Amino acid sequence: MKQLDKITPRDVDFSQWYTDTVLNAKLASYGPVKGTIIFRPYGYAIWELMQKYLDAKFKELGVENVYFPLLIPQSLFQKEKDHIEGFSPEIATVTRVGDTPLAEPLFIRPTSEVLMANFFKNEVKSYRDLPLIFNQWTNVMRWEKTTRPFLRTSEFLWQEGHTVHSDRTEASDLTLKILDTYTEFAQNALLLPVIPGKKTEKEKFAGADSTYTIESLMHDGQALQCGTSHYFADNFSKPYEIKFQNKEGKLEHAYSTSWGVSTRLIGAIIMTHSDDNGLVLPSMVSPIQVRLIQIKETDEVIKVTEEIRNLLKNKYRVDIDKTDKSFGFKISEAEIKGIPLRIEVGPRDLENNQVTISRRDTREKIQVNLNEVETIVDQMIKDYDANLYAKALKNREDRTSKASSIEEYKNILGQNQGFVLVPFCGEIACEEDVKKQTSTNSRCIPFEQDNKTEKCFNCNKETTLKVYFARAY
Amino acid sequence: MKQLDKITPRDVDFSQWYTDTVLNAKLASYGPVKGTIIFRPYGYAIWELMQKYLDAKFKELGVENVYFPLLIPQSLFQKEKDHIEGFSPEIATVTRVGDTPLAEPLFIRPTSEVLMANFFKNEVKSYRDLPLIFNQWTNVMRWEKTTRPFLRTSEFLWQEGHTVHSDRTEASDLTLKILDTYTEFAQNALLLPVIPGKKTEKEKFAGADSTYTIESLMHDGQALQCGTSHYFADNFSKPYEIKFQNKEGKLEHAYSTSWGVSTRLIGAIIMTHSDDNGLVLPSMVSPIQVRLIQIKETDEVIKVTEEIRNLLKNKYRVDIDKTDKSFGFKISEAEIKGIPLRIEVGPRDLENNQVTISRRDTREKIQVNLNEVETIVDQMIKDYDANLYAKALKNREDRTSKASSIEEYKNILGQNQGFVLVPFCGEIACEEDVKKQTSTNSRCIPFEQDNKTEKCFNCNKETTLKVYFARAY
C-alpha cells in the first residue's frame, strides 16, 4: 500500500505546500505537455460541482448553453486590434493536418469573442433578434511561461459567456448582473470573501470598454483574480460588423459582453482554506461531505454504519471507507482530501449508543448519540462553512492596509503583503511605472469610493480614485 | 420577422432534407473552419440531455469523470503502431505558439488512448490500484474530407471511457457491460432500434483486440454506427508499459478498454424519426416536451395557459410561446423543432372547458377536458414514444434481408438498401474485395448466430459466421 506523502508546512514554503496538497489529494497530475495538467477524478468532481451550481444560476438569468468550434482562422482573429495584440504571443497554432500544410493557420481558441462576433454578425438582423445570451463550458489554451496546477495552465477549463444586445445600458447592466452572480457564488459556495470592482485601463481585457472583476486574497497574502465580466460597448460589433435594425428602422451597431470563471477557482479554494494536513474544502463543492470510517468491522458496527449512511444520503454526499487500509491511514486520507465531516463508528462508542464526529477544519471531535446524528451533522456543516468563511475574511482584513506613497506601498509589500488601498491617478503610464518598481499591478477599483481628493501614491497627480494594489497570482 | 424556410421533402433529396431540417430547427450553423459546426442552444440542449442520461448510468457502473489534456506530443502517440497508422492522416497538428516554432509537434487528440495509457503507466503499481474506470466528456478532432452536421465533423463532442484492469475477463466483460448501457440508452432514450454486435477484423478500432458496436438504420436505408466499445487486451499496456504486481507478486501487463458515443447521435435521431415537416424528437431528449400556444390572448386564455404550465412543469419540460408571432407561425415552428406535444388554448375551446392537444408524430389532434389534461398528456407522451420506436423498427425490418452471393447483395443494395445478412468468411482481404466492388463495409457480427456452415457470399470459403453488411454513413 502506497504511503501518503508528507506535506511541506504551509509557512515553510507556500508554493511547495500547494503542490504537495494538490498531488496528495489526487486532484491533478502533470500532463506530458509542459504546463498542462490531468484533472483526476477528485479534482474533476470539484469542477463538476462548481459547474452545477453556476449553470443553474445562469439558467435563471436566461443564459443558453452552446458549443462553438475550437479552431479560429487566423484572418478572422485579426479584426479587433487590441484583442489580437493581447493574445497573439500565447496562441497555439495548427499549421498542418497529417503531413499536409494548411492554406491558412488555425488558432486554438484562447477565448471565443471573435467566433461569437462572427456568428452574431450573420444572425442578428433586427432588434427583435436581441438579446442573445450564450455560454459555453469548454477548454481554452493560452501558452504560459510559468505554470502551476489550476492557477495557471496552458490549457484550462472554464465557462465563457458571450452576449449581444440592442441597448447599451442593457449590455452594461448584464456585465454587472453576472458579476453579482460570481460574487454570490464565490462567497456562498466557495466561501471566498471577494472584493468586486472595476479593472484599471492598464488591466482591462484586451478589446474591452470596461472589465469588472472579483478579487480574493490567498492565505499567503497574494491576491487572485477569481472571475471577470467585460463590457465591450461596440468594440467588437464595429470590426465584426454586427448590425441590427433598431425600432426606428435604422441600422445600429450592437453592444456585446463576455464573462468567465475557470478551473483556477479550484486553486483559489485550496490556497484560501487548506492547511498543513492537506485540503480543506467548502461543503458545497466537496465531492464527499461526510465520510464514515469503521474502527472495527463487527456486525453491529457494519449495521450502524449503513444506517447512518442511509440516514444522511439524501441530504449529503456521504460514503463509507471500505478499503482494507489501516484506521490511521483512513483518517489521514480523509484529512488530506479535505472531507468536511468524518464519522467514526466503533464497538466501544456503540455500547453507549454513540459515534464520534470530527470536523476537518478545527479537528474538533465530539461524541454524539445515535438519534442525534442528523441534527448534529446539519449544525456542524453550517458551523464548518461559517468558520471557513470567517477565517478567510479575517486573513484578508488582517492583511489589508492603506498607503499614500510608493515607499509606503513597497514597505507593506515587503512585510505583510495583502491588499493595499492607495490613491491612484488611474493612468496607464503611471501603473506601468508602479509595475516596473514593484512587479505588482492594481487589482481593482472597488465600487465603494470615498470620493476624497488625494495625491496619486506614485505620480502625485490629484485624484479621487482609491484602488487596490497587491502582489497577485 | 424571418419566414421559416421550406424543407425539401425527404423522399426527393434525403441529404438536402437533412440539412434543411438541421438549419431550420436551429440545431446548428456552420463554423468558419471547414467541417466544423456551431452547436446552437437548441442543438446543444439535446446533447446536454443525452449527457445527463448517460452520465447517470455511468456513475451507477462506478465510472469516474476526469479531464485529460487536448494536446499529445507526437513522440508519445507513435508507440502503438496500428493506432498511429489509423489516425495519423486526420490529425491536426500544432507546430508553433505565437511566432515561435515548437521543438516537438503536438497533436490535437483524435481520441485519448495514449494519454490515458501514459497516465496508467505511472499510476498503476499493484493489483490493488485496479481497476481504474475513467470517462471524459470532451471535444476531439479528426480531419474529415466529407462532412455533414453532427454525422461527420472535423471537431465533435463525445464521451470517451478508458479503463484498466488486472484481469483479462473483467476488462472484456466491461466492454460488453458498456455496450449494454449504450443499447439501453439508444433504445429507451433515443428510440433507436439497434443491432449490437462485434466488428470484423477489417472494421475494428485501430489498436483494438476486439470492437463491439451498436448499429442502427436510418430512414433512407443507410446504416449508422451509434457507439463502440473496444477491448484492447494488452495491446496498449505493452508499448506503454502499464505493468502491475499481481496477487502472486509477479509483474503482469494490465488489460485496457475504451468506449464512446458522440454528437453524431443527434444526427441519428434526426435521420431516424424526423419527417417532411421538420424535426421529430424522442421525448427523453426533447428540450421542450410540451409547448403551450395561445390562440387568442384573452385573460381567461392567459390564466388557463399558466395553470396548465404549472400543472405539468414538475413532470415535463414545458414552455409557453409568448412571442408576437402569428398563430400559424407558432404551429409551424413547434413542428419544425420537433416538440412532442402542443397544447392550443383558445377562447372557444375554453367555453367547453377544453383545450386541444396535438402530437407531433401523427399530427393527431384531440380535444381534452381541462381536468384530464395531465392524464392525457402522460398517455400521449407514452404513445408518442412507442410510435417513434415502432416506426423505426418497422423501417429496419422492412429493409433487412439476406443474401448468399455478392450478386444478390449488389442487387439488394441497388433496390431497397438496408441491412443485409450474409455468410462471410471474416477475412480482411475478402472484406476489402467486397468494399472495392460495392463501396460498402460490414456493420457487425450480430451476437445471435445460427452456427450453420455456409459459403462466404464473396469468396465461397466455408464459414459459420453471419454478418450484417450495409451502405453506411
Side-chain angles (χ1 to χ4, degrees), chain A residues 69-72 77 83-84 86-93 106-115 136 138-144 154-156 158 160 162 205:
Chain A
L70 175 75
L71 298 180
I72 309 171
F77 206 94
H83 194 64
I84 181 73
F87 282 108
S88 62
E90 308 177 349
I91 294 180
T93 308
L106 302 173
F107 290 170
I108 295 184
R109 61 179 164 223
T111 179
S112 302
E113 276 74 11
V114 309
L115 280 180
Q136 61 180 6
T138 185
N139 55 341
V140 284
M141 189 159 264
R142 300 177 188 175
W143 220 259
E144 301 279 0
S154 300
E155 182 187 6
F156 57 92
W158 75 345
E160 46 175 328
H162 296 273
F205 183 77

Short mmCIF file of all heavy atoms in Angstrom, two decimals, chain A residues 69-72 77 83-84 86-93 106-115 136 138-144 154-156 158 160 162 205:
data_model
loop_
_atom_site.label_atom_id
_atom_site.label_comp_id
_atom_site.label_asym_id
_atom_site.label_seq_id
_atom_site.Cartn_x
_atom_site.Cartn_y
_atom_site.Cartn_z
N PRO A 69 -16.74 26.18 -32.19
CA PRO A 69 -15.54 25.39 -32.52
C PRO A 69 -14.26 25.82 -31.78
O PRO A 69 -14.12 26.95 -31.34
CB PRO A 69 -15.37 25.61 -34.03
CG PRO A 69 -16.74 25.98 -34.52
CD PRO A 69 -17.35 26.76 -33.39
N LEU A 70 -13.35 24.86 -31.69
CA LEU A 70 -12.05 25.04 -31.04
C LEU A 70 -11.11 25.93 -31.85
O LEU A 70 -10.33 26.68 -31.29
CB LEU A 70 -11.40 23.64 -30.89
CG LEU A 70 -10.00 23.56 -30.33
CD1 LEU A 70 -10.02 23.81 -28.83
CD2 LEU A 70 -9.39 22.19 -30.62
N LEU A 71 -11.20 25.82 -33.18
CA LEU A 71 -10.21 26.49 -34.03
C LEU A 71 -10.76 27.76 -34.68
O LEU A 71 -11.90 27.79 -35.14
CB LEU A 71 -9.74 25.53 -35.12
CG LEU A 71 -9.02 24.27 -34.62
CD1 LEU A 71 -8.60 23.40 -35.80
CD2 LEU A 71 -7.81 24.62 -33.77
N ILE A 72 -9.91 28.77 -34.73
CA ILE A 72 -10.29 30.07 -35.30
C ILE A 72 -9.31 30.41 -36.42
O ILE A 72 -8.10 30.42 -36.19
CB ILE A 72 -10.21 31.18 -34.22
CG1 ILE A 72 -10.99 30.75 -32.96
CG2 ILE A 72 -10.72 32.51 -34.76
CD1 ILE A 72 -10.78 31.69 -31.77
N PHE A 77 -9.34 36.24 -36.65
CA PHE A 77 -8.92 36.71 -35.33
C PHE A 77 -8.40 38.13 -35.37
O PHE A 77 -8.46 38.86 -34.39
CB PHE A 77 -7.81 35.78 -34.78
CG PHE A 77 -7.75 35.78 -33.28
CD1 PHE A 77 -8.43 34.82 -32.55
CD2 PHE A 77 -7.03 36.74 -32.59
CE1 PHE A 77 -8.39 34.81 -31.17
CE2 PHE A 77 -6.99 36.74 -31.20
CZ PHE A 77 -7.67 35.78 -30.49
N HIS A 83 -7.39 43.10 -29.26
CA HIS A 83 -7.62 41.69 -28.93
C HIS A 83 -6.48 40.82 -29.46
O HIS A 83 -5.91 40.03 -28.72
CB HIS A 83 -8.97 41.29 -29.54
CG HIS A 83 -9.51 40.00 -29.02
ND1 HIS A 83 -9.86 39.82 -27.70
CD2 HIS A 83 -9.78 38.83 -29.64
CE1 HIS A 83 -10.32 38.59 -27.54
NE2 HIS A 83 -10.28 37.97 -28.71
N ILE A 84 -6.13 41.01 -30.73
CA ILE A 84 -5.04 40.19 -31.30
C ILE A 84 -3.71 40.53 -30.64
O ILE A 84 -2.92 39.65 -30.31
CB ILE A 84 -4.98 40.30 -32.85
CG1 ILE A 84 -3.86 39.41 -33.43
CG2 ILE A 84 -4.78 41.74 -33.33
CD1 ILE A 84 -4.16 37.96 -33.40
N GLY A 86 -3.24 41.52 -27.60
CA GLY A 86 -3.23 40.95 -26.25
C GLY A 86 -2.96 39.46 -26.25
O GLY A 86 -2.27 38.95 -25.38
N PHE A 87 -3.49 38.75 -27.24
CA PHE A 87 -3.43 37.30 -27.17
C PHE A 87 -2.38 36.63 -28.05
O PHE A 87 -1.95 35.51 -27.76
CB PHE A 87 -4.81 36.71 -27.50
CG PHE A 87 -5.76 36.80 -26.35
CD1 PHE A 87 -6.82 37.69 -26.35
CD2 PHE A 87 -5.57 36.00 -25.23
CE1 PHE A 87 -7.69 37.79 -25.26
CE2 PHE A 87 -6.43 36.08 -24.14
CZ PHE A 87 -7.48 36.98 -24.16
N SER A 88 -1.93 37.31 -29.12
CA SER A 88 -1.17 36.56 -30.12
C SER A 88 0.09 35.82 -29.62
O SER A 88 0.35 34.72 -30.09
CB SER A 88 -0.86 37.42 -31.34
OG SER A 88 -0.08 38.50 -30.96
N PRO A 89 0.85 36.37 -28.66
CA PRO A 89 2.05 35.61 -28.27
C PRO A 89 1.74 34.29 -27.59
O PRO A 89 2.60 33.42 -27.51
CB PRO A 89 2.76 36.55 -27.28
CG PRO A 89 2.04 37.84 -27.30
CD PRO A 89 0.71 37.62 -27.91
N GLU A 90 0.50 34.10 -27.12
CA GLU A 90 0.15 32.91 -26.34
C GLU A 90 -0.61 31.87 -27.15
O GLU A 90 -1.06 30.87 -26.60
CB GLU A 90 -0.76 33.30 -25.17
CG GLU A 90 -0.27 34.43 -24.29
CD GLU A 90 -1.30 34.78 -23.22
OE1 GLU A 90 -2.44 34.29 -23.30
OE2 GLU A 90 -0.94 35.55 -22.31
N ILE A 91 -0.78 32.11 -28.45
CA ILE A 91 -1.72 31.26 -29.19
C ILE A 91 -1.06 30.05 -29.84
O ILE A 91 -0.15 30.18 -30.67
CB ILE A 91 -2.47 32.10 -30.25
CG1 ILE A 91 -3.37 33.12 -29.54
CG2 ILE A 91 -3.30 31.21 -31.16
CD1 ILE A 91 -4.14 34.01 -30.47
N ALA A 92 -1.55 28.87 -29.47
CA ALA A 92 -1.09 27.63 -30.10
C ALA A 92 -1.74 27.54 -31.48
O ALA A 92 -2.94 27.74 -31.63
CB ALA A 92 -1.49 26.43 -29.24
N THR A 93 -0.93 27.25 -32.48
CA THR A 93 -1.38 27.38 -33.86
C THR A 93 -1.23 26.07 -34.62
O THR A 93 -0.16 25.45 -34.63
CB THR A 93 -0.58 28.49 -34.56
OG1 THR A 93 -0.66 29.67 -33.75
CG2 THR A 93 -1.13 28.80 -35.94
N LEU A 106 -4.53 27.95 -38.24
CA LEU A 106 -5.71 27.99 -37.38
C LEU A 106 -5.28 28.12 -35.93
O LEU A 106 -4.38 27.42 -35.48
CB LEU A 106 -6.53 26.71 -37.58
CG LEU A 106 -7.00 26.42 -39.01
CD1 LEU A 106 -7.64 25.04 -39.11
CD2 LEU A 106 -7.97 27.49 -39.48
N PHE A 107 -5.94 29.03 -35.21
CA PHE A 107 -5.61 29.28 -33.81
C PHE A 107 -6.47 28.41 -32.90
O PHE A 107 -7.69 28.34 -33.09
CB PHE A 107 -5.90 30.75 -33.45
CG PHE A 107 -4.96 31.75 -34.07
CD1 PHE A 107 -5.24 33.11 -33.98
CD2 PHE A 107 -3.81 31.35 -34.73
CE1 PHE A 107 -4.38 34.06 -34.53
CE2 PHE A 107 -2.94 32.29 -35.30
CZ PHE A 107 -3.23 33.64 -35.20
N ILE A 108 -5.87 27.80 -31.91
CA ILE A 108 -6.67 27.18 -30.85
C ILE A 108 -7.20 28.32 -29.98
O ILE A 108 -6.42 29.15 -29.51
CB ILE A 108 -5.84 26.19 -30.01
CG1 ILE A 108 -5.41 25.02 -30.89
CG2 ILE A 108 -6.65 25.70 -28.81
CD1 ILE A 108 -4.65 23.93 -30.16
N ARG A 109 -8.51 28.34 -29.77
CA ARG A 109 -9.13 29.48 -29.06
C ARG A 109 -8.45 29.76 -27.71
O ARG A 109 -8.34 28.85 -26.89
CB ARG A 109 -10.62 29.22 -28.80
CG ARG A 109 -10.86 28.01 -27.95
CD ARG A 109 -12.33 27.73 -27.66
NE ARG A 109 -12.42 26.35 -27.17
CZ ARG A 109 -13.34 25.48 -27.53
NH1 ARG A 109 -14.30 25.81 -28.36
NH2 ARG A 109 -13.31 24.26 -27.05
N PRO A 110 -8.03 31.02 -27.51
CA PRO A 110 -7.61 31.43 -26.15
C PRO A 110 -8.86 31.95 -25.42
O PRO A 110 -8.87 32.10 -24.21
CB PRO A 110 -6.62 32.55 -26.41
CG PRO A 110 -7.00 33.12 -27.73
CD PRO A 110 -7.72 32.05 -28.51
N THR A 111 -9.91 32.23 -26.17
CA THR A 111 -11.20 32.77 -25.75
C THR A 111 -11.99 32.91 -27.05
O THR A 111 -11.40 32.85 -28.13
CB THR A 111 -11.01 34.13 -25.03
OG1 THR A 111 -12.29 34.64 -24.67
CG2 THR A 111 -10.30 35.16 -25.90
N SER A 112 -13.32 33.04 -26.98
CA SER A 112 -14.09 32.88 -28.23
C SER A 112 -14.82 34.13 -28.72
O SER A 112 -15.75 34.03 -29.52
CB SER A 112 -15.09 31.73 -28.05
OG SER A 112 -14.41 30.55 -27.72
N GLU A 113 -14.40 35.33 -28.27
CA GLU A 113 -15.10 36.54 -28.72
C GLU A 113 -15.24 36.61 -30.24
O GLU A 113 -16.31 36.96 -30.75
CB GLU A 113 -14.35 37.80 -28.25
CG GLU A 113 -14.67 38.26 -26.84
CD GLU A 113 -14.02 37.37 -25.80
OE1 GLU A 113 -13.16 36.54 -26.17
OE2 GLU A 113 -14.37 37.50 -24.61
N VAL A 114 -14.19 36.30 -30.96
CA VAL A 114 -14.24 36.56 -32.41
C VAL A 114 -15.16 35.54 -33.10
O VAL A 114 -15.85 35.89 -34.06
CB VAL A 114 -12.84 36.59 -33.06
CG1 VAL A 114 -11.91 37.53 -32.30
CG2 VAL A 114 -12.22 35.23 -33.16
N LEU A 115 -15.19 34.31 -32.61
CA LEU A 115 -16.11 33.33 -33.20
C LEU A 115 -17.55 33.73 -32.94
O LEU A 115 -18.42 33.61 -33.80
CB LEU A 115 -15.87 31.94 -32.60
CG LEU A 115 -14.70 31.17 -33.14
CD1 LEU A 115 -14.62 29.82 -32.44
CD2 LEU A 115 -14.84 30.96 -34.65
N GLN A 136 -20.67 28.93 -22.91
CA GLN A 136 -20.18 27.57 -23.16
C GLN A 136 -19.19 27.16 -22.08
O GLN A 136 -18.41 27.96 -21.57
CB GLN A 136 -19.60 27.42 -24.57
CG GLN A 136 -18.42 28.29 -24.90
CD GLN A 136 -17.92 28.05 -26.34
OE1 GLN A 136 -18.54 27.31 -27.10
NE2 GLN A 136 -16.82 28.66 -26.70
N THR A 138 -16.08 24.93 -21.59
CA THR A 138 -15.16 24.35 -22.56
C THR A 138 -13.70 24.50 -22.16
O THR A 138 -13.39 24.99 -21.08
CB THR A 138 -15.41 25.00 -23.94
OG1 THR A 138 -14.61 24.36 -24.90
CG2 THR A 138 -15.12 26.47 -23.92
N ASN A 139 -12.82 24.00 -23.03
CA ASN A 139 -11.38 24.15 -22.83
C ASN A 139 -10.85 25.28 -23.69
O ASN A 139 -11.32 25.48 -24.80
CB ASN A 139 -10.66 22.83 -23.17
CG ASN A 139 -10.96 22.33 -24.59
OD1 ASN A 139 -11.95 22.74 -25.22
ND2 ASN A 139 -10.13 21.45 -25.10
N VAL A 140 -9.89 26.02 -23.16
CA VAL A 140 -9.20 27.04 -23.94
C VAL A 140 -7.70 26.90 -23.69
O VAL A 140 -7.29 26.21 -22.75
CB VAL A 140 -9.63 28.48 -23.58
CG1 VAL A 140 -10.99 28.81 -24.16
CG2 VAL A 140 -9.63 28.70 -22.08
N MET A 141 -6.92 27.57 -24.53
CA MET A 141 -5.48 27.40 -24.43
C MET A 141 -4.75 28.74 -24.53
O MET A 141 -5.00 29.51 -25.47
CB MET A 141 -5.04 26.45 -25.54
CG MET A 141 -3.61 26.02 -25.42
SD MET A 141 -3.32 24.50 -26.33
CE MET A 141 -3.50 23.31 -25.01
N ARG A 142 -3.92 29.00 -23.54
CA ARG A 142 -3.05 30.19 -23.55
C ARG A 142 -1.69 29.74 -23.08
O ARG A 142 -1.55 29.30 -21.93
CB ARG A 142 -3.60 31.28 -22.62
CG ARG A 142 -4.98 31.75 -23.00
CD ARG A 142 -5.54 32.77 -22.02
NE ARG A 142 -6.94 33.03 -22.32
CZ ARG A 142 -7.75 33.80 -21.59
NH1 ARG A 142 -7.27 34.39 -20.51
NH2 ARG A 142 -9.01 33.99 -21.93
N TRP A 143 -0.71 29.83 -23.96
CA TRP A 143 0.60 29.31 -23.62
C TRP A 143 1.25 30.16 -22.55
O TRP A 143 1.48 31.35 -22.76
CB TRP A 143 1.48 29.27 -24.87
CG TRP A 143 2.30 28.04 -24.90
CD1 TRP A 143 3.62 27.93 -24.56
CD2 TRP A 143 1.87 26.73 -25.29
NE1 TRP A 143 4.02 26.63 -24.71
CE2 TRP A 143 2.98 25.86 -25.15
CE3 TRP A 143 0.66 26.19 -25.72
CZ2 TRP A 143 2.91 24.50 -25.45
CZ3 TRP A 143 0.59 24.84 -26.01
CH2 TRP A 143 1.70 24.02 -25.86
N GLU A 144 1.52 29.60 -21.40
CA GLU A 144 2.04 30.36 -20.27
C GLU A 144 3.47 29.94 -20.00
O GLU A 144 3.83 28.78 -20.15
CB GLU A 144 1.20 30.07 -19.01
CG GLU A 144 -0.28 30.41 -19.16
CD GLU A 144 -0.57 31.89 -18.96
OE1 GLU A 144 0.39 32.66 -18.70
OE2 GLU A 144 -1.75 32.28 -19.06
N SER A 154 -1.47 25.92 -19.35
CA SER A 154 -1.56 26.25 -20.78
C SER A 154 -2.96 25.97 -21.31
O SER A 154 -3.49 26.71 -22.10
CB SER A 154 -0.55 25.43 -21.57
OG SER A 154 0.74 25.70 -21.11
N GLU A 155 -3.54 24.86 -20.87
CA GLU A 155 -4.93 24.58 -21.21
C GLU A 155 -5.73 24.66 -19.91
O GLU A 155 -5.28 24.13 -18.89
CB GLU A 155 -5.06 23.18 -21.80
CG GLU A 155 -6.50 22.84 -22.22
CD GLU A 155 -6.67 21.38 -22.66
OE1 GLU A 155 -5.71 20.59 -22.53
OE2 GLU A 155 -7.76 21.04 -23.11
N PHE A 156 -6.87 25.29 -19.95
CA PHE A 156 -7.73 25.24 -18.77
C PHE A 156 -9.19 25.10 -19.17
O PHE A 156 -9.55 25.24 -20.34
CB PHE A 156 -7.49 26.43 -17.83
CG PHE A 156 -7.67 27.80 -18.45
CD1 PHE A 156 -8.89 28.45 -18.40
CD2 PHE A 156 -6.60 28.44 -19.05
CE1 PHE A 156 -9.06 29.72 -18.95
CE2 PHE A 156 -6.75 29.71 -19.60
CZ PHE A 156 -7.98 30.35 -19.56
N TRP A 158 -13.15 26.31 -18.50
CA TRP A 158 -13.86 27.47 -17.99
C TRP A 158 -15.25 27.52 -18.56
O TRP A 158 -15.65 26.65 -19.36
CB TRP A 158 -13.09 28.76 -18.29
CG TRP A 158 -13.13 29.27 -19.70
CD1 TRP A 158 -13.53 28.58 -20.81
CD2 TRP A 158 -12.77 30.58 -20.15
NE1 TRP A 158 -13.42 29.39 -21.92
CE2 TRP A 158 -12.96 30.62 -21.54
CE3 TRP A 158 -12.31 31.72 -19.50
CZ2 TRP A 158 -12.70 31.78 -22.29
CZ3 TRP A 158 -12.05 32.85 -20.26
CH2 TRP A 158 -12.25 32.87 -21.64
N GLU A 160 -17.38 30.47 -20.66
CA GLU A 160 -17.27 31.80 -21.23
C GLU A 160 -18.65 32.20 -21.73
O GLU A 160 -19.25 31.55 -22.56
CB GLU A 160 -16.22 31.87 -22.35
CG GLU A 160 -16.25 30.75 -23.38
CD GLU A 160 -15.24 30.98 -24.53
OE1 GLU A 160 -14.97 32.13 -24.90
OE2 GLU A 160 -14.73 29.97 -25.05
N HIS A 162 -21.09 34.92 -23.61
CA HIS A 162 -20.99 35.94 -24.68
C HIS A 162 -22.40 36.40 -25.00
O HIS A 162 -23.27 35.58 -25.28
CB HIS A 162 -20.36 35.33 -25.93
CG HIS A 162 -18.94 34.90 -25.73
ND1 HIS A 162 -17.87 35.75 -25.88
CD2 HIS A 162 -18.44 33.71 -25.34
CE1 HIS A 162 -16.75 35.09 -25.61
NE2 HIS A 162 -17.06 33.85 -25.28
N PHE A 205 -9.41 43.85 -19.99
CA PHE A 205 -9.31 42.81 -21.01
C PHE A 205 -9.02 43.41 -22.39
O PHE A 205 -9.54 44.47 -22.73
CB PHE A 205 -10.66 42.07 -21.05
CG PHE A 205 -10.74 40.92 -21.99
CD1 PHE A 205 -10.16 39.69 -21.68
CD2 PHE A 205 -11.45 41.02 -23.19
CE1 PHE A 205 -10.27 38.61 -22.54
CE2 PHE A 205 -11.57 39.95 -24.05
CZ PHE A 205 -10.97 38.74 -23.73
#
